[in-house]
Amino acid sequence: MLRLQRERMEGALLPSEQEFFQRYGLTEKRLALAKPDAIVMHPGPINRGVEIDSRVADGPQSVILEQVTNGIAVRMAIMSITLGHHARPVGEEV
């Protein structure tokens, strides 16, 4: 799932939040069309009832909490590698 920025909905060519959810929101019915081992990802924060139904976001196929939790560490590691810094154990002096 992608995050829809509510602040960008006003004045845009997007339908209302309710209409957006009816057309594009991830519901249990839509998720049932996916493979049984499909996982649900979303970068957060979630606009429940707009992008995704709460039952799906909190359901057994959701890895959203793990994704959000790990996202910061992964981005920091990528930036460190990109900038050429080598990771040091916590407490090690530079």
Side-chain angles (χ1 to χ4, degrees):
M1 298 296 306
L2 294 176
R3 180 175 173 265
L4 178 69
Q5 295 175 322
R6 285 183 165 165
E7 60 273 14
R8 294 187 184 194
M9 285 187 74
E10 289 185 31
L13 297 175
L14 295 172
S16 68
E17 289 182 2
Q18 183 180 15
E19 186 179 350
F20 183 89
F21 182 70
Q22 289 174 351
R23 287 186 183 189
Y24 309 110
L26 184 58
T27 62
E28 289 177 312
K29 184 176 179 180
R30 287 186 175 126
L31 182 57
L33 299 172
K35 291 183 178 183
D37 61 344
I39 59 173
V40 176
M41 299 178 74
H42 189 290
I46 299 169
N47 292 310
R48 293 172 184 261
V50 178
E51 303 152 345
I52 187 169
D53 185 271
S54 287
R55 291 174 294 222
V56 174
D58 299 328
Q61 290 175 262
S62 175
V63 295
I64 296 170
L65 291 179
E66 293 90 342
Q67 178 186 359
V68 171
T69 299
N70 295 328
I72 293 173
V74 169
R75 286 190 295 274
M76 288 175 62
I78 290 169
M79 287 178 18
S80 180
I81 291 168
T82 302
L83 296 173
H85 300 289
H86 299 286
R88 292 183 172 80
V90 175
E92 184 178 305
E93 292 187 27
V94 179

